Amino acid sequence: MTLDRWLSRLPLDSPSAFMKQVPTIVGFGIAVVIAVLPNGVPITNTSEFVAGVVLVAVASVLSLVVPWRRFAPEWAVVVPTLSLLAVGLLRLGTGSSASPFVVLTLLPFVWIASEEGRINIVIASLTTFVVLLAPLVVDGATRSVGDVVRAFFSPVIYLIVAIVINELAHRMRVQLAAAREAGERQETLLAQAVTAQDELVLNEARLKTANRLIQSIWNAVTEQSVIGTDLDGLIDVWNPGAEKMLGLTEKQVLDGRHHITDFHLPSELAERLQDMDARFTTVATTDEFSALVDTVRAGSADVRDWTYVRPDGKRVVVQVAATPRLDENGHRVGFIFVATDMTEAREFARLKDEFVGLISHELRTPLSSILGYLELLRDDDEDPLSEEQLQYLAVAERNAHRLLRLVGDLLFTAQVESGRFPLDIKDVELSSVVSASVESARPAAANAGVTLVAEVPDHTVAVRGDTLRLGQAVDNLVSNALKFTPSGGTVTVALRSDGSQAVIAVTDTGIGIPAVELSQLSQRFFRASTATRNAVPGVGLGLTITKAIVTAHGGRLDIASEEGVGTSISIVLPVETPAAVTGAIPRVEVTP
C-alpha cells in the first residue's frame, strides 16, 4: 500500500500539502544525520541548528493536520515558507555561508514558486533572499567582494527561476484543466454513445419485431389482394392475396413491370372516364389510370366495384378500396388498392334479385285483386257504405296502392339488375315533364311547409326518351328533396339546356348527406345516415331507379351535397338520340 493511499484513509483534509512537504522532511533528515555523525558536517551553532529542526518539524505537522483545502489556496504557502526559513537556520547552525546544506533551499523554493499566482514569485524570491543573505548579517565577519556579489547575485537567479517555474506550472495547470475538461467531455460523450448504442440496439430489436409482425400480417392476407403502385400506376407491391386472385407471383409482376391498368377491363375504365366528363376518344395509359385514382388525388378514399382480368382471361368481380400511399413526411408517393372478391356476393345478389322479382310478381296479382274489390265496395250503389266505413276503406286502399308502388319498384330494380327493362322511345319535351312533376308534388310540399320552385325556360328543351320513365325519375328526385327538407326550406327544380345536353337539377336546402356516403347513394336499399337519424321514411330504392333510368337514356346522374346545407342532384341527358336507347341496355352499375 502506497503512502498516499494510506494517508487518504486518515481523517485529514489536505494530505497533498503533507505530500509536498515530504521531500523537505527527507532532505532535513539526511542533513541532520550527516551533521550528527562523527567526521560529518560540524554543528557551529547548536541553538540555530535545533531551531531549524524544530521549525521544519512544526511546518511538517501543520502540513499534516491543518485543513488547507478549507482555506484560500495562497495560505498553503505558509508551510514551504516556514520550511525555507528552517533551511536558513540549519545553514546558520552548520557553518553559515560555508554550510553545504544550502541546496535544501531548492525544495521549499520550488513548492512556493510553483503555486498559482504571481505573488508566490515574490514570496519565494524574498524568502530565498533572506536565507542567502542571513550569513552576511549574522556572522558580521568581513567578506570578500566575491562573497558579497555571490550573495546578491544568487537571489536574482532564484527570482528568474521562480518566474520560469511559476509560468511553467501555470501553463501545466491550464493544460491539465483543459485535459481534464476534455476527459470529462469524452466521458460524457462516451456515456451518451453507450446510451445511444443501447437505444439503437433496442430500436433495432423493436424494428425487427415490428417487421416480423408486419410480414406475418402481410402473408396472412390471402383473401384480399393488396396492390401498391407509384404515382404513375407502376406496380411495386404485390401481396399473397393478389397472387392468389390474379395468378401471378410477386417476382413475375415486379420483374415484368406491370401497370395496374393491365388487370382492368378497358370498357370499365372508359365508362368511368365518361362519368368524369373526360373526352371519350383514344384513351392513353395515364388517362386510364386517372379513372382509378381521380377521387384519391382529390383527397378522398375511393371504394368502387371493378372487374379484374387474370392473365388466363378469367374475370374476377371485385370491390376495390383505393387510398393514397404516403412517405414518412406525409407526401403522397403512390397508391394502394385493396380488392375483395365479390363473385360469391354478386351471385348471392343475383339469386336475391330473382327471388325479389318472383315474390314481387306474385304479389302484384293479389294486390290488384284487393284494389279491385276495394273499388267495388266503395262504388256499390245498392248497399252504400257508411261514412266511417268509407274512411276505413280509404285507409286500406291508400296502403294497398302504396304496397303496389313498392312492388312495382322492386320489379323495376330486378329488371334493371337483369340488364333489360322496357322503354317507349319517342320525342320528349322536358318542360312538360318537369312542370307535371312540380304540380304533382305541390300538395306534399304544402303539407311539409316547403317552398317548391320551378325554373323552366321559355324555349323548348327536347330529348329522345321514355316520357313515363323520365317523369318517374324527376318525381323520385323531387319526392326525396321534399322528404329531406325541413319545414321552411326550399326545393328548386330547374331545367336548362347546356349545349348538347339537357340538365334537370333538383336542389334543396335540406339536411344534406355526408361526403363519405355519396358514392353509395344509388345502391339498392341504402339510406344515408342523416335519413336514419332524422327518421325520414323510405326504403332506399328511389335513386337506384332514377340512376338506372338516366343511364338507360345515355345520361348521367351528378350528385353534390353538404351535410346541414343541402343537396343538388342533376339529371344530365344528351339532346341527340342516344345510341343505347333501344329498350335493351347493358347491365346497369348501381354506383354513381
Side-chain angles (χ1 to χ4, degrees), residues 428-435 455-463 494-503 575:
V428 179
E429 208 284 296
L430 292 180
S431 298
S432 59
V433 173
V434 171
S435 298
E455 297 180 356
V456 180
D458 295 334
H459 61 275
T460 300
V461 180
V463 298
L495 171 65
R496 68 177 185 273
S497 179
D498 185 9
S500 61
Q501 295 177 330
V503 180
V575 173

Side-chain angles (χ1 to χ4, degrees), residues 407-424:
V407 170
D409 289 344
L410 289 172
L411 276 173
F412 186 80
T413 56
Q415 291 173 337
V416 169
E417 193 64 24
S418 67
R420 177 178 290 273
F421 64 89
L423 290 177
D424 183 14

Side-chain angles (χ1 to χ4, degrees), residues 144-207:
S144 64
V145 176
D147 292 335
V148 175
V149 172
R150 185 167 54 252
F152 282 93
F153 180 72
S154 295
V156 174
I157 297 302
Y158 272 97
L159 173 63
I160 296 172
V161 172
I163 294 173
V164 173
I165 291 175
N166 188 270
E167 181 63 23
L168 291 176
H170 172 72
R171 293 187 180 184
M172 186 175 296
R173 287 190 187 91
V174 172
Q175 293 177 357
L176 184 60
R180 185 180 296 111
E181 183 179 354
E184 291 175 354
R185 285 201 303 267
Q186 187 174 8
E187 289 180 0
T188 302
L189 293 175
L190 181 60
Q192 292 176 349
V194 171
T195 302
Q197 176 68 19
D198 293 341
E199 292 180 356
L200 182 62
V201 172
L202 181 60
N203 290 336
E204 185 177 1
R206 290 174 177 171
L207 181 60

Side-chain angles (χ1 to χ4, degrees), residues 12 55 102 112 198 220 245-246 285 339 365 396 400 415 447 475 500 534 548:
L12 306 174
L55 187 57
V102 69
I112 298 172
D198 293 341
M245 183 179 292
L246 294 170
T285 302
T365 300
Q415 291 173 337
N447 291 335
D475 289 343
S500 61
N534 291 275

Side-chain angles (χ1 to χ4, degrees), residues 160-331:
I160 296 172
V161 172
I163 294 173
V164 173
I165 291 175
N166 188 270
E167 181 63 23
L168 291 176
H170 172 72
R171 293 187 180 184
M172 186 175 296
R173 287 190 187 91
V174 172
Q175 293 177 357
L176 184 60
R180 185 180 296 111
E181 183 179 354
E184 291 175 354
R185 285 201 303 267
Q186 187 174 8
E187 289 180 0
T188 302
L189 293 175
L190 181 60
Q192 292 176 349
V194 171
T195 302
Q197 176 68 19
D198 293 341
E199 292 180 356
L200 182 62
V201 172
L202 181 60
N203 290 336
E204 185 177 1
R206 290 174 177 171
L207 181 60
K208 288 181 179 178
T209 302
N211 285 338
R212 285 194 296 269
L213 178 60
I214 293 173
Q215 190 63 39
S216 299
I217 296 174
W218 182 257
N219 293 332
V221 180
T222 57
E223 297 305 314
Q224 284 81 31
S225 76
V226 180
I227 301 174
T229 72
D230 60 13
L231 292 174
D232 296 324
L234 190 66
I235 296 174
D236 54 11
V237 174
W238 189 265
N239 83 319
E243 180 176 341
K244 177 182 176 182
M245 183 179 292
L246 294 170
L248 289 178
T249 64
E250 181 181 14
K251 180 177 176 57
Q252 289 174 320
V253 174
L254 299 186
D255 290 350
R257 297 183 61 80
H258 284 275
H259 197 277
I260 183 66
T261 55
D262 297 341
F263 301 99
H264 278 265
L265 276 178
S267 59
E268 286 186 343
L269 298 175
E271 183 179 350
R272 171 61 181 157
L273 288 172
Q274 280 186 313
D275 289 341
M276 292 162 50
D277 277 340
R279 182 176 298 174
F280 188 60
T281 54
T282 302
V283 183
T285 302
T286 53
D287 292 332
E288 290 180 347
F289 184 56
S290 296
L292 298 177
V293 298
D294 182 70
T295 303
V296 182
R297 285 172 176 168
S300 303
D302 183 54
V303 180
R304 197 176 300 276
D305 289 344
W306 296 99
T307 301
Y308 277 173
V309 182
R310 292 165 52 97
D312 58 8
K314 181 180 177 181
R315 298 183 179 185
V316 183
V317 179
V318 292
Q319 185 179 69
V320 180
T323 55
R325 180 179 171 188
L326 308 177
D327 62 9
E328 62 275 8
N329 298 319
H331 299 144

Side-chain angles (χ1 to χ4, degrees), residues 112-128:
I112 298 172
S114 62
E115 289 296 320
E116 185 68 26
R118 302 302 182 187
I119 187 62
N120 293 314
I121 298 174
V122 178
I123 295 173
S125 300
L126 289 177
T127 308
T128 305

